[in-house]
């Protein structure tokens, strides 16, 4: 729980009504013909010769909405994303998990806060994709302060006939990954997120997107893989089934490993602990913040062995640990953190976002961090 101030009765009613109104306006503007496929939509720019990605990690929307403090953090997070998007004008945005803090959201439909987190990207017409973190579908945890004066705040939950309502009462059951992802895809023409093969459930966000050539929509310049690293409703792991899916899928679409590949998930693998710098950040690692230890997945079930053997894999990007923003080499690929973007979640370090730029000719992958104050640092060549 992140609240720092006294509970304010009824404020959650206002927040819920605002979110419902905002979503209703968006639904009226929905136009199905705008949806396009990854092969024709995600392309290297003709003039720039590059494809730029902005990564927003650990936004943690929806924390302590019954206080004055909680909604302010969401407003601050929107400001960070807006600043980064206006400075960088990326071609694509990735939401790298912990978009919301579901264990802190006392309404039946967490999709309302999920939508709010996507709103700066959506408003600028930028396509995006998302993966799940360990807080996105966690069950609600009752705050201790609710059991003292003035007690439980007045709650107004979404009405049952709302298109995004979920249940019509305050069930506090949370919103499962499947429902969050389905609603994102169904109601957002710019979303390129995927649900993934059914046999990989309960993990949901497992899919691959192609970045195509500027002059040939069929020709792949790079592949972006997204994996659900668990947490919340199931263990914090990338399972052996997910590892096998990656191996089969990569061999299917990129059999000779001729096309570079980059991978995104939320919770770092145990390999991150092996390369983590001590104290400061020194070459060959690149970054500006090393303020906590790596908190890895519960177990290693094969994905890293597969990635290391596959020379086309150039980098893995994760979030989860808010006080880390480094990139370090691991065998022939790079292990990178994003930057804590949201004002929700723990830590008071300055906020920002990792940027990744893929250049087609000659091919390269370059990354840097854009801060909320507009400054840029930690540039690194990943390929």
């Amino acid at each position: 729980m992140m609240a720092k101030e006294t509970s304010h009765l009824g404020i959650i009613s206002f927040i819920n009504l605002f979110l419902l109104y905002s979503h209703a306006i968006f639904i009226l503007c929905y136009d199905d013909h705008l949806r396009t496929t990854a092969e024709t939509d995600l392309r290297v720019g003709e003039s720039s010769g590059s494809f730029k990605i902005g990564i927003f990690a650990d936004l943690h929307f929806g924390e302590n909405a019954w206080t004055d403090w909680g909604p302010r953090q969401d407003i601050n997070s929107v400001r960070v994303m807006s600043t980064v998007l206006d400075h960088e004008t990326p071609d694509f945005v990735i939401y790298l998990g912990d978009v919301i803090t579901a264990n802190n959201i006392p309404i039946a439909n967490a999709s309302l806060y999920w939508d709010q987190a996507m709103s700066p990207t959506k408003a600028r017409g930028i396509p995006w994709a998302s993966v799940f973190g360990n807080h996105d579908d966690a069950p609600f945890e009752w705050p201790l302060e609710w059991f003292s004066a003035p007690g439980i705040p007045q709650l107004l939950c979404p009405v049952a006939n709302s298109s995004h309502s979920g249940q019509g009462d305050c069930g506090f059951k949370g919103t499962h990954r499947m429902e969050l992802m389905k609603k994102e895809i169904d109601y957002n023409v710019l979303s390129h997120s995927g649900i993934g093969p059914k046999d990989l459930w309960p993990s949901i966000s497992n899919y691959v997107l192609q970045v195509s050539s500027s002059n040939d929509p069929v020709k792949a310049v790079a592949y972006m893989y997204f994996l659900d690293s668990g947490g919340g409703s199931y263990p914090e792991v990338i399972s052996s089934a997910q590892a096998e899916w990656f191996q089969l899928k990569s061999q299917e679409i990129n059999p000779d490993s001729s096309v570079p590949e980059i991978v995104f998930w939320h919770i770092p693998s145990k390999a991150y602990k092996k390369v983590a710098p001590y104290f400061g950040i020194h070459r060959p690692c690149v970054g500006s913040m090393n303020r906590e230890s790596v908190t890895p997945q519960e177990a290693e079930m094969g994905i890293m062995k597969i990635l290391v053997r596959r020379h086309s894999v150039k980098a893995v990007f994760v979030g989860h640990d808010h006080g880390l923003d480094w990139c370090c080499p691991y065998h022939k690929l790079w292990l990178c953190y994003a930057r804590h973007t949201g004002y929700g979640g723990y830590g008071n370090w300055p906020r920002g976002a990792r940027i990744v730029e893929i250049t087609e000719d000659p091919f390269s992958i370059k990354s840097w961090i854009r801060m909320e104050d507009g400054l840029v640092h930690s540039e690194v060549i990943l390929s």
Side-chain angles (χ1 to χ4, degrees):
M1 299 294 182
M2 299 302 299
K4 305 295 183 185
E5 300 181 8
T6 305
S7 297
H8 179 59
L9 296 180
I11 194 168
I12 194 169
S13 302
F14 171 77
I15 297 297
N16 288 341
L17 287 173
F18 172 77
L19 290 170
L20 282 170
Y21 174 77
S22 300
H23 181 74
I25 295 298
F26 173 70
I27 293 299
L28 290 174
C29 298
Y30 180 90
D31 189 350
D32 189 59
H33 82 274
L34 293 176
R35 182 176 289 281
T36 53
T37 63
E39 288 76 10
T40 59
D41 191 42
L42 304 183
R43 297 178 62 177
V44 171
E46 291 185 12
S47 58
S48 65
S50 66
F51 184 81
K52 187 189 290 186
I53 304 164
I55 302 176
F56 296 144
D58 298 282
L59 292 164
H60 289 279
F61 270 73
E63 290 187 346
N64 294 33
W66 58 90
T67 68
D68 292 329
W69 178 90
R72 277 208 306 271
Q73 307 319 301
D74 293 347
I75 292 171
N76 291 338
S77 297
V78 168
R79 186 184 67 242
V80 178
M81 290 187 284
S82 298
T83 298
V84 170
L85 293 173
D86 291 343
H87 274 99
E88 294 287 353
T89 61
D91 302 293
F92 193 62
V93 167
I94 294 172
Y95 287 86
L96 200 58
D98 282 2
V99 177
I100 59 176
T101 305
N103 51 294
N104 217 192
I105 296 177
I107 62 173
N109 180 22
S111 293
L112 300 171
Y113 288 100
W114 193 273
D115 289 347
Q116 189 184 13
M118 309 291 168
S119 62
T121 303
K122 183 191 306 182
R124 290 162 175 78
I126 302 170
W128 78 82
S130 62
V131 293
F132 286 108
N134 53 301
H135 282 279
D136 289 315
D137 73 344
F140 180 72
E141 298 175 9
W142 287 73
L144 179 63
E145 62 264 29
W146 282 21
F147 294 87
S148 63
I152 299 178
Q154 297 174 5
L155 302 178
L156 176 64
C157 289
V159 294
N161 62 356
S162 168
S163 60
H164 243 40
S165 66
Q167 298 184 18
D169 60 358
C170 295
F172 302 108
K173 294 159 79 172
T175 307
H176 190 265
R177 277 171 159 78
M178 185 63 181
E179 186 178 356
L180 286 168
M181 184 61 81
K182 188 175 188 305
K183 285 179 177 176
E184 178 194 322
I185 295 170
D186 288 350
Y187 291 98
N188 293 287
V189 296
L190 293 168
S191 171
H192 282 65
S193 299
I195 291 175
K198 291 183 178 180
D199 56 0
L200 298 185
W201 291 358
S203 63
I204 298 299
S205 50
N206 304 280
Y207 55 100
V208 58
L209 298 175
Q210 175 179 312
V211 178
S212 300
S213 170
S214 60
N215 52 28
D216 184 354
V218 178
K219 179 184 176 183
V221 172
Y223 289 111
M224 301 185 293
Y225 291 84
F226 301 82
L227 293 169
D228 187 336
S229 57
S233 60
Y234 74 108
E236 297 181 355
V237 297
I238 292 177
S239 69
S240 56
Q242 289 171 279
E244 182 181 5
W245 171 83
F246 174 86
Q247 187 167 36
L248 293 175
K249 190 67 178 178
S250 59
Q251 290 174 351
E252 172 193 341
I253 65 177
N254 194 16
D256 57 359
S257 296
S258 60
V259 179
E261 298 164 321
I262 51 180
V263 187
F264 303 89
W265 66 66
H266 180 71
I267 305 174
S269 67
K270 289 184 177 295
Y272 275 73
K273 286 187 74 73
K274 297 179 181 179
V275 302
Y278 293 99
F279 304 109
I281 300 173
H282 308 287
R283 295 284 181 178
C285 297
V286 178
S288 71
M289 190 166 64
N290 190 31
R291 304 297 295 274
E292 62 178 322
S293 299
V294 173
T295 308
Q297 297 167 29
E298 295 176 30
E300 166 57 47
M301 297 188 173
I303 186 63
M304 291 308 304
K305 290 182 180 179
I306 293 171
L307 297 183
V308 167
R309 290 197 299 262
R310 191 167 176 82
H311 64 80
S312 50
V313 177
K314 304 304 180 185
V316 178
F317 298 92
V318 303
H320 191 58
D321 295 321
H322 300 180
L324 304 175
D325 74 352
W326 44 259
C327 286
C328 290
Y330 179 69
H331 296 277
K332 294 183 179 180
L333 57 86
W334 285 82
L335 301 182
C336 291
Y337 275 98
R339 178 82 184 205
H340 183 198
T341 305
Y343 270 77
Y346 71 91
N348 293 316
W349 304 293
R351 272 62 172 184
R354 179 166 291 282
I355 308 298
V356 178
E357 186 176 51
I358 302 170
T359 302
E360 181 175 10
D361 187 21
F363 181 86
S364 70
I365 302 175
K366 182 170 64 174
S367 183
W368 60 91
I369 292 173
R370 171 73 70 171
M371 299 301 293
E372 179 183 9
D373 62 8
L375 295 179
V376 171
H377 62 80
S378 303
E379 183 173 311
V380 58
I381 304 297
L382 303 174
S383 177

